[in-house]
Amino acid sequence: MFDVVVIGSGPAGYVAAIRASQLGFKTLCIEESVDDNGKTNLGGTCLNVGCIPSKALLDSSHRYYEANKNLSDHGIQIDKLKLDLDLMMSRKDEIVSQLTGGISGLFKANKVESITGRGKVISKNVVEITKPDSSTENIDAKNIIIATGSRPIEINAAPFSKNIVDSTGALSFKKVPKKLGVVGAGIIGLELGSVWSRLGSNVTVLEALEDFLPMADPDISKDSLKEFKKQGLDIQLGSMVTSTKDIKNSVKLLYSKENNEIEMEFDKLIVAVGRSPNSDDILNNDLGVSIKNGLIEVDEYCQTSVSNIWAVGDVVRGPMLAHKGSQEGIMVAERIAEKHAEINYDLVPSVIYTHPEIAWVGKNENELKESGIKYNVGKFPFTANGRALAVSESIGFVKLLSDKKTDAILGVHVFGPAAADIVQQALISMEFGASAEDISLTMFSHPTVSEALHEAALASNNQAIHIGNKK
Ligand code: FAD
Ligand code: NAD
């Protein structure tokens, strides 16, 4: 009998398992994914085919782009720049193996047991494991945490094939496609579209919606669209793919825009139109746990309607983000231990790792207008920040929104250098209930790009030092 059985070893599952074991529970983690050599792939989407490999390629492609386009501005001339894509890919693969291997080390160090197989909750206290050789084993569990994650959505107009790939396929092209199509101008479309564009692909992004990044602050949507187009991404909004044909070495595609049907041909097509939760055949129906639109229904503590069955990460409501899943994993382990952990779902940070980076936390201007809350805006451009200029990273801004009456910070939105880290500073201060004045009265190291957050806070009360204030 285990105290805690976790199904899935992604950032939600492995973190839940480690924390549960730290709290003194006998813990087992079940993972079904195995590689070609039969070795278990711990770490889920994030470590194997998500956050980590994409960021490795974003960094490598950025360095290549800088060397190709921008280093000469610094007086550095490179005569024969050459791309070794195989080496770039093996660097990425090595980082992935280092981190996934690290999880088994962490499991050993924290006394988490792990087993390879597909887990299914067959009764309140029993998980059935179907092993790679098809044999089954039933495990007794006092508590069960479902952390089975999500998978890419496939659309009828562009079914996956040799040249029509999901994000996983787009992380391991063998050569740089000359013409690359991307369906979906969401986070994956922008990140992976940027990777291949920097490496030399001619990239067209087809987005069904008329609005670009509608979940972001409107200033960020506007400025980033302009910047990405300038970088060479041909972003077509209001464009719906209607059919595709994978011919030997290319893909023919039809899309409709403003009542016109347009044909394009690409060497490769990435379909990145969102992800769907892995909830099929995870729980016996008679348990009474409800699943809506594929998401396992849970309360704010990730508890299902069966009190000892919990679910965390991409398989439950909320943004499909690694840090959100991990924090839920910690919360659930602590709640099983009868501690009072909780999550502030109003402060989940979002980051898009383009260049410049996009990041935000809290409410954006559209949301504040809709809710009728009166607010101040403090906006500071990186063109007025000394460090940003010194490192040639002066595109973008920090925008801070604060309550007109109380001065409490309601949202911080950054397009520019170190956006994720600046937003993290804002998030910590918001968790502690900071006002814009609190940030204004805090000392920031000089010269840093974080000073733009200081100035945005000052600007929200018309006290900016390095730009003009509203009259
Ligand atoms: P997953 O990571 O999907 O893990 C679930 C695990 O459960 C998998 O290993 C799966 O094999 C296993 N499993 C499923 N069913 C069973 C079963 N029945 N029995 C046993 N095992 C099972 N998020 C960020 O926060 N930052 C990023 O930069 C970022 N970049 C991304 C880039 C890409 C290209 C992609 C695709 C995603 C990215 N994400 C990012 C999202 C992030 O990867 C997910 O939000 C995160 O991995 C979800 O964690 P999870 O543990 O819920 O599920
Ligand atoms: P997404 O939801 O971010 O974007 C999908 C886009 O595709 C949307 O703009 C949508 O309007 C568009 N779309 C949907 N159907 C379409 C169609 N038929 N034709 C054209 N466009 C269509 O999804 P994603 O980019 O696939 O990413 C999936 C999830 O993975 C994200 O929601 C995010 O949570 C996670 N992720 C996070 C990061 C990060 O944190 N940096 C990076 C990558 C992925």
Side-chain angles (χ1 to χ4, degrees), residues 183-184 186-188 191 206-209 272-274 320-321 351 353:
V183 186
I187 312 185
I188 293 182
E191 289 187 355
L206 303 169
E207 166 60 49
L209 297 179
V273 294
M320 289 184 168
L321 297 172
V351 184
Y353 294 86

Side-chain angles (χ1 to χ4, degrees), residues 47 57 93 229 255 273 309 357 376 385:
L47 267 60
L57 290 184
D93 294 339
K229 283 187 168 175
Y255 72 96
V273 294
I309 303 179
E357 225 164 68
N376 288 327
N385 173 276

Side-chain angles (χ1 to χ4, degrees), residues 61-91:
S61 59
H62 176 63
R63 286 169 195 255
Y64 177 72
Y65 185 85
E66 284 293 291
N68 210 358
K69 304 267 183 205
N70 294 331
L71 281 190
S72 53
D73 292 350
H74 295 256
I76 302 167
Q77 303 288 349
I78 300 174
D79 273 348
K80 281 191 189 125
L81 186 69
K82 196 172 152 257
L83 173 67
D84 184 341
L85 187 62
D86 288 346
L87 195 61
M88 197 179 275
M89 290 293 171
S90 15
R91 171 187 172 272

Side-chain angles (χ1 to χ4, degrees), residues 7-14 30-33 41-52 54-55 117-120 147-151 167-168 171 188 191-192 275 278 280-282 312-315 319-325 351 353:
I7 308 177
S9 72
Y14 85 75
I30 307 167
E31 172 55 59
E32 70 169 338
S33 171
N41 285 323
L42 297 176
T45 304
C46 172
L47 267 60
N48 289 284
V49 291
C51 323
I52 299 303
S54 60
K55 267 78 248 178
R118 180 170 174 80
K120 177 174 178 175
T148 47
S150 64
R151 61 185 183 282
S167 52
T168 303
L171 289 167
I188 293 182
E191 289 187 355
L192 295 183
R275 297 177 62 83
N278 290 326
D280 302 344
D281 207 27
I282 295 291
V312 292
D314 282 9
V315 80
M320 289 184 168
L321 297 172
H323 43 271
K324 175 260 189 188
V351 184
Y353 294 86

Side-chain angles (χ1 to χ4, degrees), residues 171-413:
L171 289 167
S172 43
F173 289 148
K174 298 268 178 293
K175 58 181 196 186
V176 179
K178 277 204 180 75
K179 288 179 90 181
L180 174 66
V182 181
V183 186
I187 312 185
I188 293 182
L190 292 174
E191 289 187 355
L192 295 183
S194 296
V195 164
W196 292 106
S197 160
R198 291 168 193 168
L199 297 179
S201 294
N202 201 325
V203 179
T204 303
V205 185
L206 303 169
E207 166 60 49
L209 297 179
E210 296 290 347
D211 293 332
F212 180 66
L213 291 180
M215 68 290 202
D217 185 87
D219 283 348
I220 288 194
S221 307
K222 190 167 66 92
D223 287 16
S224 64
L225 177 62
K226 224 188 284 163
E227 174 58 26
F228 297 147
K229 283 187 168 175
K230 211 165 90 192
Q231 288 176 8
L233 293 181
D234 177 14
I235 299 172
Q236 296 290 332
L237 300 174
S239 300
M240 187 58 120
V241 178
T242 50
S243 71
T244 48
K245 203 166 169 193
D246 191 341
I247 43 184
K248 209 168 158 216
N249 287 318
S250 67
V251 178
K252 279 205 165 141
L253 174 149
L254 281 177
Y255 72 96
S256 60
K257 183 172 177 154
E258 292 159 358
N259 296 325
N260 294 316
E261 190 144 59
I262 301 160
E263 189 181 31
M264 290 197 81
E265 190 165 347
F266 301 108
D267 300 313
K268 295 278 181 196
L269 182 71
I270 306 173
V271 179
V273 294
R275 297 177 62 83
S276 59
N278 290 326
S279 56
D280 302 344
D281 207 27
I282 295 291
L283 290 139
N284 255 2
N285 290 341
D286 55 13
L287 276 162
V289 173
S290 65
I291 297 176
K292 242 193 213 157
N293 298 326
L295 297 167
I296 297 178
E297 291 222 297
V298 289
D299 65 11
E300 72 265 47
Y301 304 117
C302 294
Q303 195 165 25
T304 69
S305 54
V306 179
S307 63
N308 71 317
I309 303 179
W310 311 73
V312 292
D314 282 9
V315 80
V316 301
R317 84 282 173 267
M320 289 184 168
L321 297 172
H323 43 271
K324 175 260 189 188
S326 297
Q327 211 50 33
E328 287 180 335
I330 290 177
M331 172 177 73
V332 166
E334 301 237 336
R335 292 198 82 87
I336 291 172
E338 295 181 359
K339 292 174 181 280
H340 296 285
E342 58 184 23
I343 284 178
N344 182 354
Y345 284 102
D346 289 336
L347 295 184
V348 178
S350 295
V351 184
I352 307 179
Y353 294 86
T354 44
H355 194 91
E357 225 164 68
I358 292 173
W360 70 86
V361 66
K363 300 267 182 271
N364 64 43
E365 227 180 319
N366 287 341
E367 291 166 334
L368 290 178
K369 274 185 189 145
E370 251 169 54
S371 63
I373 297 172
K374 298 259 179 296
Y375 59 92
N376 288 327
V377 182
K379 198 169 163 188
F380 190 81
F382 283 109
T383 43
N385 173 276
R387 182 65 184 276
L389 284 170
V391 297
S392 303
E393 296 283 355
S394 59
I395 294 167
F397 56 84
V398 174
K399 178 171 171 180
L400 181 144
L401 302 166
S402 56
D403 191 301
K404 209 171 198 90
K405 213 156 91 195
T406 65
D407 199 39
I409 305 169
L410 302 173
V412 172
H413 306 265

